[in-house]
Amino acid sequence: MTTQLPGPTVARWRTWPLYTAGFTTAFGAHGVAANLGRFTTGHHDSLLMLGGLLALYDGAEVLLKPVFGTLSDRIGARPVLIGGLIAFAASSVLFTLAHDSGLLWAARLGQGAAASAFSPAASALVARLNPAAKRGRAFGSYGFFKSIGYTAGPVLGGALVALGGLTLLFTAMTALAAVVAVWAVCTVPPLAPLPRQRQTVLDLAKRLGQGSFLRPTTALALATAALSVGVGFLPIAGNAAHLGPIATGAAVSLLAATAALVQPCAGAALDHGRLTTSTGTTTGLAVTAAGLAAVTLPGLSGLLLAAVLIGTGTGLITPIAFTALAASTTPEHLGQTMGSAELGRELGDAGGPLIVAAVATVTTLTGGFAVLAALTAAAVLTARPATSQSDQPQVPSDGLH
């Protein structure tokens, strides 16, 4: 069992900026991505430009999240959180200074790099500032706010672009990140970096190669893949079934809302011993696989059932997997672990749609959903550890009360 060190007991309101930081990174990702097409239309090689701008944000996150996670352990998660938010605001204001495509490239790259800093730092602080017995609910709340950011980003971003173009959208993101940074400075308590033993690359590889890291991270990657595929491909499946845009839009909204609402409930159930990490993870994977398979059912009923099941499964997995990662990691390595786990999520976010699209190209869209459903179902067999230790209810193990 991982040895946990004592930490502070803080009022819950002091962690609220962390949840808002989660909303900020999600809103920054989807709010801009959903509206970049309006800016690139009319430019030479507009599709190539759009693809590059979309890839910049996610590419920076894939490369830098583990790096900034490790930095959080070394100098403290709070300064990395605040510095990342300030950098996000500074990157956003670049484009507001001049409506220039060159500055848009720089702003988008800077936003992705900044999100790579404050996202794993926020996750690490959620773990350190909450006792083990309350981490499930804390990660559920964090996931809820991120889901709201992903869901509301395209809508709010579109409204802002309609009112004042991309300049107004980037101005709003500048203000949001700056306000959250100031809020974090005033509210989030400082935590000194914990003593760390020297760690070689081989030591890191061994730690990240253990089942206690691989199982929850794989579940997170598959959950994110299913969520991304659901948002991107359920409307296409609806169109193929001759359903209108209102029905397909309702299905996507239902998926996002279900995922957001289930996460706090799943985290609270874990904290109160009604769920265990292994049972919750395996159930979440099974329900997600069933949701992906439900796309094959005809008509609106199949589409809505798929949305509810995918949302429920991913909502179960996310807080439980992050809580399991926090429970199996020593506090001095929380940032590194969360950054590496976030990398797994980013790979799932990109890999899921690629798998479904590749299979659909040679078969059908339902064939693509079926392949991802089979991969998710197969992960159920590896999600339960060989020992029964993780089947015990989560109890405080770090001296936090």
Side-chain angles (χ1 to χ4, degrees):
M1 179 181 293
T2 301
T3 302
Q4 301 283 355
L5 297 179
T9 299
V10 299
R12 193 179 179 200
W13 61 270
R14 302 195 72 177
T15 65
W16 289 349
L18 307 179
Y19 304 148
T20 314
F23 173 87
T24 302
T25 182
F27 178 75
H30 283 202
V32 177
N35 294 283
L36 279 174
R38 301 187 188 188
F39 179 84
T40 59
T41 300
H43 288 262
H44 179 64
D45 294 331
S46 59
L47 289 179
L48 182 61
M49 181 180 179
L50 175 60
L53 286 170
L54 290 174
L56 271 179
Y57 193 99
D58 291 332
E61 288 193 305
V62 167
L63 292 174
L64 296 176
K65 275 187 173 180
V67 175
F68 282 114
T70 302
L71 183 64
S72 296
D73 295 330
R74 184 161 304 189
I75 68 172
R78 184 175 180 269
V80 175
L81 169 78
I82 295 169
L85 288 166
I86 293 173
F88 191 93
S91 299
S92 301
V93 81
L94 275 178
F95 186 72
T96 67
L97 298 177
H99 200 265
D100 178 77
S101 60
L103 287 179
L104 180 58
W105 285 91
R108 200 62 181 151
L109 178 61
Q111 285 180 334
S116 303
F118 70 78
S119 182
S123 297
L125 284 166
V126 168
R128 282 199 64 188
L129 293 175
N130 285 279
K134 295 183 179 179
R135 282 182 186 155
R137 182 178 179 183
F139 276 113
S141 298
Y142 182 71
F144 172 83
F145 278 90
K146 287 195 78 168
S147 295
I148 294 300
Y150 287 131
T151 304
V155 177
L156 293 178
L160 290 169
V161 169
L163 290 173
L166 276 182
T167 301
L168 180 58
L169 175 57
F170 275 76
T171 300
M173 287 193 295
T174 300
L176 174 63
V179 167
V180 178
V182 173
W183 192 11
V185 169
C186 299
T187 305
V188 177
L191 294 176
L194 296 171
R196 302 169 67 241
Q197 292 183 346
R198 180 171 178 169
Q199 178 181 245
T200 66
V201 174
L202 182 59
D203 293 332
L204 174 62
K206 286 181 178 179
R207 188 166 63 81
L208 298 185
Q210 294 175 349
S212 58
F213 175 82
L214 290 178
R215 282 189 293 268
T217 302
T218 300
L220 284 169
L222 288 168
T224 308
L227 197 61
S228 180
V229 165
V231 170
F233 289 97
L234 279 183
I236 299 175
N239 290 335
H242 307 292
L243 298 173
I246 294 178
T248 56
V252 173
S253 297
L254 181 61
L255 187 159
T258 303
L261 294 173
V262 166
Q263 289 191 57
C265 298
L270 182 68
D271 291 339
H272 295 130
R274 296 192 297 270
L275 272 180
T276 63
T277 54
S278 61
T279 301
T281 302
T282 54
T283 301
L285 288 169
V287 172
T288 301
L292 292 167
V295 177
T296 60
L297 298 177
L300 181 61
S301 59
L303 202 67
L304 295 179
L305 180 61
V308 170
L309 291 177
I310 293 172
T312 300
T314 56
L316 273 171
I317 290 168
T318 304
I320 291 174
F322 273 117
T323 304
L325 287 166
S328 64
T329 304
T330 52
E332 66 269 21
H333 290 134
L334 274 172
Q336 189 177 71
T337 296
M338 295 303 172
S340 300
E342 289 279 1
L343 171 59
R345 294 187 76 187
E346 295 296 334
L347 294 176
D349 192 23
L354 287 176
I355 291 172
V356 171
V359 175
T361 301
V362 297
T363 59
T364 62
L365 181 57
T366 54
F369 272 96
V371 168
L372 186 58
L375 291 173
T376 306
V380 174
L381 301 176
T382 60
R384 185 177 292 275
T387 63
S388 60
Q389 182 178 348
S390 69
D391 285 333
Q392 300 303 317
Q394 296 294 308
V395 295
S397 59
D398 56 2
L400 299 177
H401 299 285

